[in-house]
Structures are given as C-alpha cells and as structure tokens.
Amino acid sequence: MNTPSRSELPAALAHHRVRHRYAAQVRDGVVRFSWTKGPWFIGMAAAALLGGALTASAGALALYAGGTALVLLLGHSLGSHRKLIHDSFQCPRWLEYLLVYLGVQVGLAGPIGLLRQHELRDYAQRLPHCHDFLRHGRGFWRDAWWQLVCELRLADEPTLTIEPRIAADRFYRFLERSWMAQQLPWALLFWWWGGWGFVFWGVCARVTTGVLGHWLIGYLAHNHGEIHRVVEGAAVQGRNVRFTSLLTMGECWHNNHHAYPGSARLGLARGEWDPGWWVLSALARFGLVWSLRLPQDLPPRPELKTLVPAVEANAKACRFCATRAAAT
Ligand SMILES: [Zn+2]
Ligand SMILES: [Zn+2]
C-alpha cells in the first residue's frame, strides 16, 4: 500500500510519537513467547501463590494492600500514564521522577519501554485496522496468554520518536536498564523488616497483581463496558468499566481516555470516580502540580462523536474546573 498522506489520517495523529508508512506496519506480525516478561511474570506469580500461601499474616497483607495501592495510584496512573506518556499536567522535576519511579515499581516494564508499548497501541487503535494483539481482539484466555507472557513482533515496525526530554534523561535511562532490579532494594528491606512473608506479599504478590490487573483492565476496557463517545474510523473503541473505578485508580474510564487522551482527568461525569484526579486536585491546591489539561483544553477532533451529551455538561460543572476557570 502507498504511504498515507497526513491529510488522510485524523488530525489528532499529526503530532503522535508514532508514524506509519503503510497499513501492514500495525497489522502484520507474529506473537511469540517473551523470554523477558514471560519468566518474570510466571516467577513472580509462582512465588506469590506458593510463598504467599505459606507466609500470610496480617502485617504482610497490609504491606501488600498499601504498597499495591500506592504504586498503582501515584506510580502507574499519575507517573507513568498521565504524566510521562500524556504530559497532561506539569509538576516539579523531582516529583515527576518520584512518580515515575513508583510507576516502575508496578513491574510492567521500564519507563521508556512502557511508553513505547502504550504509544504503539494508542496509535494503532485509532487506525481502521490493527493487529488483534494491539486491540485486545481475541478471546479472554488467548488475550491473557498473549499480553501476560508474549510479545508482538511486527514484520515492519512503524517509527516511534520519543522526545529527548525523556529518551535522553539519565534517570529514565537508568530505570529502563534496571527496571526488574528496582524490586531488589525493597525486597531486602522487607526481608529485614518482616522476613520472607513481607517479601512474598510486599514484592511478588504486588507485582503479580499489578501485571495481571493491567492486562485484565486492558482486556475489559476494549471489549466490555459503556461507550459514551465513538472515535469514528478507529479499529476499536475504549469502554468505561464502571465497577473497577477505585481498583484501577480511575484508569477504567477508557472510553473517556480514547476520546480525550491528553486529559489529566479520566472520570468526567458525575459518579465516574477517579482517585487519580482526586490526588491531582489535592496536589494542585498545594501548588505541586499545575496546568492540568481537561477535555475542553484539547484540540477539537472531528472524528469524535458524543453519544451522551449530558456527560459533557457534568464534566464542565465540576467544582475544581470551575475554580480553575475562575483563577485563569
Ligand atoms: Zn485503548
Ligand atoms: Zn493513555
């Protein structure tokens, strides 16, 4: 197929980090077992199941619950996703580093590797066709096997350009090289603090939950759930998976995210609980974050069709948005 001219693509893709030359670049490829993430996930899950069952205690469970919530909320949702990948708010560099470091603690990948995976998926899902791996397009068990322990090898990858602010950053490059080893200092600390039970629950069970939960919400959020807005011409629509709002720290509002990828706020309507946004709002009051982008701050997208107009009205009526609008 010929090179698509930029005018044939939605305008929203003009400034995307990914760029393809022909459709097969996001469609043709093979899924193979990954000798990086496969043994990593299987080893963590086995240690969590066997070691965790033998060493369960109230203290270990509290460490697991607290640690998991912390890295998913501050690390994955705020650090890796809303800041590093989408740059949807501004904050001091030290805070960005802290949030992204906590995101690496989820155990999915290094910060740059995670950004690459997200961007390829995000770009491919907005095109008319993409590989089933990128759109969670197969059945539940096949998707679990693929996403948890396999990798997609495209026949000819599209180009991906990461800005030097991230790609050349020495701290991010260090985390990228050492993302698995970043669990070790915490494993040692937990072993010293509470023995093997704290290691199995505080590290292995936390990583297993983070990786498994990331796949599960990815599967659900592209196959089951509410659609309030449609991105016309896209290979797959995002879905809002309401019952997981607190567990996912607001990341479950994926229909909203497909519509407004650059928004720092994911839960837009009344009742769409978004713990990540609650934390950002609190940090904004202390002056630790600013320039939070909302749907109305983003360029219009002609390919976006809203099915439930009331959702937009509710989003604009939120207390924090009104405060912000009055202040600017
Ligand atoms: Zn998606
Ligand atoms: Zn995203």
Side-chain angles (χ1 to χ4, degrees), residues 227-250:
I227 295 181
H228 293 162
R229 303 170 190 80
V230 171
V231 180
E232 291 189 331
V236 63
Q237 302 297 323
R239 315 287 189 117
N240 287 343
V241 187
R242 182 167 295 277
F243 72 97
T244 62
S245 60
L246 295 182
L247 287 174
T248 62
M249 307 303 169

Side-chain angles (χ1 to χ4, degrees), residues 7-51:
S7 61
E8 291 170 20
L9 297 173
L13 289 181
H15 303 292
H16 205 283
R17 292 183 179 112
V18 178
R19 190 160 289 208
H20 77 305
R21 285 175 288 116
Y22 52 94
Q25 282 186 297
V26 295
R27 195 191 60 210
D28 296 351
V30 290
V31 181
R32 290 278 182 265
F33 185 79
S34 163
W35 286 99
T36 309
K37 68 192 240 191
W40 171 253
F41 176 71
I42 292 168
M44 282 289 177
L49 281 173
L50 299 176

Side-chain angles (χ1 to χ4, degrees), residues 56-85:
S57 68
L61 286 168
L63 183 68
Y64 159 74
T68 303
L70 187 79
V71 301
L72 291 182
L73 173 59
L74 298 182
H76 185 73
S77 184
L78 295 196
S80 301
H81 193 207
R82 303 191 207 204
K83 176 58 192 171
L84 192 73
I85 292 171

Side-chain angles (χ1 to χ4, degrees), residues 170-213:
R170 292 177 64 179
F171 183 58
Y172 291 150
R173 289 162 69 102
F174 165 68
L175 289 179
E176 187 62 28
R177 288 193 302 272
S178 62
W179 65 271
M180 287 181 179
Q182 291 302 324
Q183 302 294 338
L184 272 177
W186 294 102
L188 286 171
L189 177 71
F190 292 163
W191 180 81
W192 169 80
W193 186 16
W196 283 106
F198 273 30
V199 176
F200 287 134
W201 284 93
V203 175
C204 304
R206 169 174 54 74
V207 169
T208 304
T209 303
V211 176
L212 195 64

Side-chain angles (χ1 to χ4, degrees), residues 74-219:
L74 298 182
H76 185 73
S77 184
L78 295 196
S80 301
H81 193 207
R82 303 191 207 204
K83 176 58 192 171
L84 192 73
I85 292 171
H86 289 290
D87 202 27
S88 66
F89 63 90
Q90 300 306 309
C91 66
R93 194 72 160 166
W94 65 264
L95 182 57
E96 177 183 326
Y97 281 160
L98 175 63
L99 297 175
V100 172
Y101 169 77
L102 290 173
V104 170
Q105 287 297 323
V106 176
L108 282 165
I112 297 170
L114 191 70
L115 184 145
R116 296 176 73 90
Q117 290 173 28
H118 177 286
E119 292 299 83
L120 176 61
R121 203 177 280 274
D122 178 271
Y123 184 84
Q125 289 181 1
R126 298 196 215 183
L127 299 174
H129 305 284
C130 69
H131 195 285
D132 280 344
F133 182 95
L134 297 172
R135 63 193 293 268
H136 297 274
R138 293 289 181 94
F140 182 85
W141 294 110
R142 171 69 68 94
D143 198 55
W145 175 252
W146 274 8
Q147 310 291 343
L148 290 171
V149 297
C150 297
E151 62 192 4
L152 172 65
R153 293 187 205 154
L154 290 166
D156 182 13
E157 290 192 8
T159 55
L160 185 143
T161 310
I162 304 175
E163 56 273 34
R165 180 186 179 281
I166 296 172
D169 184 279
R170 292 177 64 179
F171 183 58
Y172 291 150
R173 289 162 69 102
F174 165 68
L175 289 179
E176 187 62 28
R177 288 193 302 272
S178 62
W179 65 271
M180 287 181 179
Q182 291 302 324
Q183 302 294 338
L184 272 177
W186 294 102
L188 286 171
L189 177 71
F190 292 163
W191 180 81
W192 169 80
W193 186 16
W196 283 106
F198 273 30
V199 176
F200 287 134
W201 284 93
V203 175
C204 304
R206 169 174 54 74
V207 169
T208 304
T209 303
V211 176
L212 195 64
H214 183 261
W215 157 69
L216 186 57
I217 192 59
Y219 173 78

